[in-house]
Amino acid sequence: MRKEIKKLAMDDNALNSAAELILDSKRNVGFTGAGVSVESGIPPFRGKDGLWNKYDPGILDLSYFYSNPKESWSVIKELFYDFFGSAKPNSAHKVLAEMEQMGLLSSVITQNIDNLHQEAGSKTVYEFHGNSRHLICKECDITYTVTEDLIKELPPRCEKCGSVLKPDFIFFGEMIPEFAYRKSVEEAQQAQVFIVIGTTGEVVPASLIPQMAKENGVMIIEVNPKKSLFTDSFTDIYLQGKASEVMPELMEKIKLKL
Ligand code: APR
Ligand code: ZN
């Protein structure tokens, strides 16, 4: 019982400090990973219930994909379209969108390809690993919007040249989209506060962005039920908990101080 009360008090202090930091800062940026979408029904990649325990990440190796398009596509469809397709934004996504509307957040840098930040209403989203909403033909450089029809027959092929279409998200070994990378580095240089939500910090180069920010004197607020590679090295305020529980509490504190 005492431990509970002590934890609640500590959380409350941490929440209040985080709210003050956000309100005093001229530029706040969100940085999200798979954890922010867990409560939307999308499992994380790593950890006990991680997708990579059930699926071989090799399906997202570019050369494997082009040499085994049918096999690779059947798993990709199951994982990133059937699964992701039914997910809806949760309160953590919605709080970030509301913060942007209130002028308290300049952008969200996300490692996620699930489009849930945009569906929650966020306008400025830098997709570090691309997005599953589009398929591209690398031969013709044509982009197709994903429809059920387009991915009914696998692998989906380009109408113009018949080549296999690839989801517009980053496969292992592929370059980070130039625009998202450049804007993320700019934010790491210009921000005063980063709100890092639901990432292990294990995947590079994405995890270098909060590090870069820290080196530029940016304050790091982290939301994660478990410690990440950032927590003991870069994080200034650690809000231990699930994103869809902590973010509404943080917003409440912010509104009380407005
Ligand atoms: N709320 C907040 N964080 C959570 C929650 C939750 N409800 N549930 C889990 N987490 C945290 C975990 O503690 C972990 O730190 O989310 C993180 C999920 O880890 P990963 O699945 O490894 O996700 P991430 O770090 O974003 O992985 C990055 O790896 O496979 C690639 O491209 C893929 O973008 C992905 C990248
Ligand atoms: Zn083509």
Side-chain angles (χ1 to χ4, degrees):
M1 190 58 184
R2 278 190 68 67
K3 200 156 153 289
E4 263 313 303
I5 294 167
K6 207 157 148 287
K7 185 174 175 322
L8 275 176
M10 182 193 60
D11 289 356
D12 214 49
N13 291 342
L15 279 166
N16 276 312
S17 316
E20 273 151 28
L21 209 54
I22 288 166
L23 287 167
D24 295 347
S25 147
K26 291 193 183 54
R27 195 177 185 86
N28 303 310
V29 171
F31 182 89
T32 66
V36 78
S37 297
V38 164
E39 291 146 279
S40 295
I42 301 181
F45 291 93
R46 292 167 193 81
K48 186 168 58 56
D49 316 319
L51 289 166
W52 293 148
N53 301 338
K54 198 168 154 220
Y55 298 91
D56 171 7
I59 56 140
L60 290 187
D61 172 87
L62 207 54
S63 55
Y64 174 84
F65 172 78
Y66 281 116
S67 45
N68 309 275
K70 201 167 174 56
E71 296 75 11
S72 195
W73 251 110
S74 67
V75 180
I76 287 172
K77 181 166 185 294
E78 184 184 322
L79 191 42
F80 296 109
Y81 294 96
D82 301 350
F83 225 145
F84 280 34
S86 55
K88 292 280 171 272
N90 63 56
S91 52
H93 298 104
K94 292 174 185 160
V95 165
L96 290 171
E98 191 182 356
M99 285 177 70
E100 186 184 29
Q101 254 154 30
M102 294 163 71
L104 290 175
L105 198 76
S106 66
S107 70
V108 174
I109 301 167
T110 188
Q111 297 168 79
N112 303 341
I113 60 173
D114 55 32
N115 203 46
L116 293 180
H117 286 298
Q118 293 93 329
E119 286 170 36
S122 285
K123 300 285 178 266
T124 310
V125 180
Y126 302 127
E127 297 171 303
F128 212 80
H129 292 153
N131 189 298
S132 57
R133 247 188 9 242
H134 294 114
L135 306 184
I136 45 176
C137 171
K138 290 264 184 183
E139 299 305 318
C140 313
D141 207 19
I142 299 176
T143 300
Y144 296 78
T145 300
V146 173
T147 60
E148 269 184 35
D149 256 11
L150 185 62
I151 54 174
K152 202 182 291 167
E153 234 184 278
L154 300 179
R157 290 187 179 278
C158 173
E159 286 159 13
K160 197 160 162 239
C161 73
S163 299
V164 170
L165 297 178
K166 178 190 163 293
D168 194 16
F169 54 74
I170 298 300
F171 282 41
F172 291 116
E174 255 192 308
M175 295 283 287
I176 300 298
E178 193 278 329
F179 176 76
Y181 187 79
R182 182 161 46 79
K183 298 306 278 183
S184 300
V185 170
E186 277 175 25
E187 289 288 39
Q189 287 158 346
Q190 295 166 3
Q192 291 183 342
V193 173
F194 259 48
I195 308 169
V196 175
I197 308 172
T199 183
T200 53
E202 288 172 20
V203 175
V204 291
S207 63
L208 301 178
I209 299 295
Q211 289 181 33
M212 232 183 259
K214 188 71 204 170
E215 280 143 27
N216 290 321
V218 174
M219 296 293 282
I220 309 280
I221 296 169
E222 183 181 6
V223 179
N224 198 321
K226 280 206 209 98
K227 286 193 172 184
S228 71
L229 293 185
F230 297 125
T231 318
D232 296 333
S233 36
F234 302 108
T235 298
D236 298 284
I237 301 178
Y238 175 43
L239 303 175
Q240 184 171 24
K242 295 180 172 177
S244 76
E245 291 166 9
V246 172
M247 292 307 289
E249 282 183 49
L250 179 57
M251 180 54 100
E252 226 175 278
K253 296 290 184 199
I254 289 171
K255 286 183 174 168
L256 284 174
K257 295 175 191 301
L258 275 177

